[in-house]
Amino acid sequence: MKLDIVTIFPDYFAPLDVSLLGKARQRGDVDAHVHDLRGWAHDRHRTVDDTPYGGGPGMVMKPEPWGEALDAIVPPGSSARLVVPTPSGRPFTQELAGAYAAEPWLVFACGRYEGIDARVIEDARSRMPVDEVSIGDYVLAGGESAVLVMVEAVTRLLPGVLGNAGSAADDSFAPGRMEALLEGPVYTKPPDWRGRPVPPVLMSGNHGAIARWRRDEALRRTAAIRPELIARNALDDADRRTLSE
Ligand SMILES: N#Cc1c(-c2ccc3ccn(Cc4ccc(CN5CCOCC5)cc4)c3c2)n[nH]c1N
């Protein structure tokens, strides 16, 4: 997968060089490049913002630098999808992460201030698919954190990125997964910590009992924290007994 990120804060993306994503980049599974938008701002002060037409608070990102940046990064006729984080975007979900993981090339536009001049999105839509996406119902100061979240959620789905550590297909919200339950509690050594033992079933070696216990814990946690997700699951009699306790 090819990733391009355009931002006025390129240092924000130093985390892309660590952890699993860093290894994926070293292996060549992910070809990621971060671009400083100010490279396409040609005045002495490298200006990227201006006052909003119609008045209102704050500043708006000028269209010219963005237009030149996207022209330079995405040549006409290439197969990039532009993803623009914005508070007013469609929700970014595990399903959308799965769809993005199948894309050959994603370009992320990180806005700041009150956002990017709307004509940049219009102009980009004339030559590539563009998604305006929000990572949640809270307000950030810019798109960079959202892009870090999306890049992590997408790249962990790429073959080989998670390694043997686990399979994204087991995630609670994995697309196509028959169920959407919140994960229950996990434990590791020592068997007793500060007088708190690990649930004995997990050390019983009885894999059927362990699977049942884990599902019961997931059902209980989901019913308590995200009851609306219960209906998305195919429950059997044992599940219903657990939920009725
Ligand atoms: N993804 C994501 C995000 C973002 C996000 C993403 C990208 C940018 C670029 C600039 N900002 C700052 C910003 C904050 C608030 C507003 C709304 N304004 C309406 C008029 O009154 C003032 C306020 C606009 C821009 C961004 C925020 N926030 N929350 C998410 N889930």
Side-chain angles (χ1 to χ4, degrees):
M1 170 180 278
K2 184 166 164 60
L3 292 179
D4 285 283
I5 300 168
V6 186
T7 172
I8 59 172
F9 295 123
D11 293 349
Y12 220 100
F13 293 96
L16 293 186
D17 293 328
V18 299
S19 184
L20 289 174
L21 183 52
K23 291 183 175 61
R25 288 180 80 181
Q26 287 160 15
R27 281 197 310 271
D29 294 339
V30 173
D31 175 18
H33 300 275
V34 180
H35 309 270
D36 186 342
L37 178 69
R38 293 191 194 276
W40 288 280
H42 305 301
D43 65 299
R44 190 155 61 95
H45 298 295
R46 299 278 189 187
T47 308
V48 293
D49 65 308
D50 204 335
T51 54
Y53 275 122
M59 302 293 273
V60 173
M61 299 193 95
K62 293 166 59 64
E64 299 95 331
W66 277 107
E68 288 190 32
L70 294 177
D71 288 350
I73 294 164
V74 186
S78 42
S79 60
R81 174 176 293 272
L82 180 63
V83 180
V84 185
T86 169
S88 56
R90 67 185 281 206
F92 178 72
T93 62
Q94 187 68 19
E95 182 178 5
L96 191 52
Y100 285 172
E103 292 278 346
W105 184 6
L106 295 175
V107 178
F108 291 93
C110 300
R112 277 275 156 172
Y113 309 105
E114 295 307 312
I116 301 170
D117 185 299
R119 291 168 292 179
V120 172
I121 309 305
E122 287 170 32
D123 180 66
R125 281 199 207 284
S126 69
R127 59 189 189 85
M128 70 185 92
V130 180
D131 291 344
E132 295 180 87
V133 180
S134 170
I135 63 166
D137 292 338
Y138 38 80
V139 180
L140 302 171
E144 285 80 8
S145 303
V147 169
L148 280 172
V149 165
M150 289 192 272
V151 165
E152 179 159 329
V154 171
T155 56
R156 70 184 290 276
L157 298 176
L158 298 176
V161 170
L162 271 185
N164 300 325
S167 158
D170 295 334
D171 287 343
S172 298
F173 301 97
R177 179 183 165 106
M178 294 297 288
E179 306 172 319
L181 294 176
L182 302 184
E183 278 85 6
V186 291
Y187 299 86
T188 186
K189 303 180 189 63
D192 189 293
W193 179 70
R194 293 187 179 181
R196 300 177 188 279
V198 170
V201 67
L202 296 179
M203 302 199 278
S204 67
N206 180 337
H207 297 294
I210 291 169
R212 183 68 255 171
W213 181 88
R214 283 176 168 161
R215 182 168 175 85
D216 287 347
E217 288 299 306
L219 285 163
R220 292 185 187 109
R221 186 172 181 85
T222 305
I225 297 173
R226 295 285 303 275
E228 77 279 9
L229 295 181
I230 292 289
R232 291 195 204 173
N233 294 272
L235 303 181
D236 62 22
D237 289 344
D239 297 337
R240 281 186 278 274
R241 278 195 298 276
T242 298
L243 291 172
S244 65
E245 286 167 355

